[in-house]
Amino acid sequence: MAVAREELQKDLEEVKELLQKATRKRVRDVLVAEKHKLELEIKSQPPPKPKDVAEEEKSSLGGYTVKINSYGWDQSDKFVKIYISLNGVQKLPAENVQVNFTERSFDLLVKNLNGKNYTMTFNNLLKPISVEGSLRKIKTDTVLVMCKKKQEEKWDCLTQVEKESKEKVKSDYDMADPSEGLMNMLRKIYAEGDDETKRTINKAWVESREKQYKGDIPMDI
């Protein structure tokens, strides 16, 4: 965790330096958004543990540690549920699967599964959770982390960072110039689309340009 905090701090310092040098408004807007995102992540990090405790935990882990990036999630009225697939996890002693909760985060540590340790950290959860009411369950090849909602309301995503990223994308399309927003959306669809989608967009673009050159542009009557 200390390493993650240090890396985030280094990223923040570099973004600040770039922000001082940037002159273009769009570039500055992107850097300001990234700076805010990093500050939120650093703020949500748990305080560093005393060195002796951290070293003791590190020395107790055998093998090497793998960061978990793949998961699924859903929710009920009372819980947000995160599903992590780990083959054979049900065969481990219960104490080898640990989850530490705070009001806005949780850390998962799975020790010595097939000679490896697995970790997952979620910081800056979208809404506060109940530490006492949250728990983990071990199922066949799956760890289920259940975060108890403090308020029974729907979550649109898991973290505040995800929410801000979605809002940033939406704001990019919500511009004073509708044509610019439309072009940005088409570029995004083109970049992410399959071959058929790209052919369709290319064809529409060529036909549109040909009409403009010929002056054959529909007019309101």
Side-chain angles (χ1 to χ4, degrees):
M1 296 300 296
V3 174
R5 191 184 187 91
E6 288 176 10
E7 290 300 315
L8 288 172
Q9 192 65 48
K10 289 178 182 177
D11 290 345
L12 179 59
E13 294 303 320
E14 187 166 329
V15 168
K16 286 181 178 178
E17 290 180 11
L18 293 172
L19 191 54
Q20 290 177 352
K21 298 176 183 178
T23 57
R24 304 282 296 176
K25 182 179 183 302
R26 186 167 296 182
V27 175
R28 288 185 61 84
D29 289 345
V30 172
L31 290 172
V32 168
E34 183 65 19
K35 175 175 172 287
H36 183 57
K37 172 185 169 183
L38 287 167
E39 287 172 343
L40 284 174
E41 288 192 45
I42 292 171
K43 186 177 179 181
S44 65
Q45 290 277 328
K49 297 179 181 179
K51 186 175 180 181
D52 55 343
V53 175
E55 289 298 324
E56 182 179 344
E57 287 189 358
K58 184 177 179 181
S59 63
S60 68
L61 296 177
Y64 60 93
T65 300
V66 178
K67 184 177 180 181
I68 302 170
N69 294 312
S70 179
Y71 63 91
W73 77 284
D74 64 10
Q75 60 185 307
S76 62
D77 291 339
K78 296 183 178 181
F79 287 92
V80 172
K81 307 171 186 178
I82 297 92
Y83 300 84
I84 301 102
S85 297
L86 291 169
N87 289 335
V89 69
Q90 73 278 5
K91 300 175 184 177
L92 290 176
E95 60 268 20
N96 280 31
V97 182
Q98 303 172 0
V99 183
N100 296 316
F101 296 96
T102 72
E103 190 176 68
R104 296 295 290 269
S105 71
F106 72 82
D107 295 311
L108 167 68
L109 172 61
V110 179
K111 297 181 180 179
N112 197 25
L113 176 60
N114 301 321
K116 301 176 185 177
N117 306 300
Y118 294 84
T119 64
M120 169 179 272
T121 300
F122 268 93
N123 292 313
N124 203 23
L125 292 171
L126 183 65
K127 300 177 187 293
I129 62 174
S130 167
V131 175
E132 297 78 13
S134 298
L135 67 154
R136 65 102 176 95
K137 294 183 177 181
I138 303 172
K139 299 179 177 292
T140 302
D141 298 331
T142 302
V143 177
L144 172 59
V145 178
M146 301 181 66
C147 299
K148 176 72 179 295
K149 297 178 180 179
K150 275 202 168 181
Q151 295 184 352
E152 295 184 8
E153 53 187 350
K154 183 181 179 181
W155 289 29
D156 296 323
C157 50
L158 280 178
T159 67
Q160 186 67 28
V161 173
E162 288 180 58
K163 178 185 177 183
E164 291 179 356
S165 296
K166 289 181 180 179
E167 290 174 348
K168 178 67 170 60
V169 171
K170 182 177 182 299
S171 68
D172 286 343
Y173 298 138
D174 188 16
M175 301 177 180
D177 182 357
S179 63
E180 185 176 354
L182 177 60
M183 288 304 300
N184 284 338
M185 184 179 294
L186 285 174
R187 290 189 190 103
K188 180 176 174 62
I189 294 172
Y190 185 88
E192 297 176 355
D194 56 20
D195 291 341
E196 183 62 30
T197 299
K198 291 179 179 179
R199 281 194 294 269
T200 300
I201 293 175
N202 280 332
K203 181 180 178 183
W205 173 257
V206 170
E207 291 176 352
S208 173
R209 298 301 294 175
E210 287 177 349
K211 285 183 179 180
Q212 290 182 30
Y213 289 140
K214 294 177 182 178
D216 184 17
I217 301 175
M219 299 179 63
D220 293 335
I221 298 175

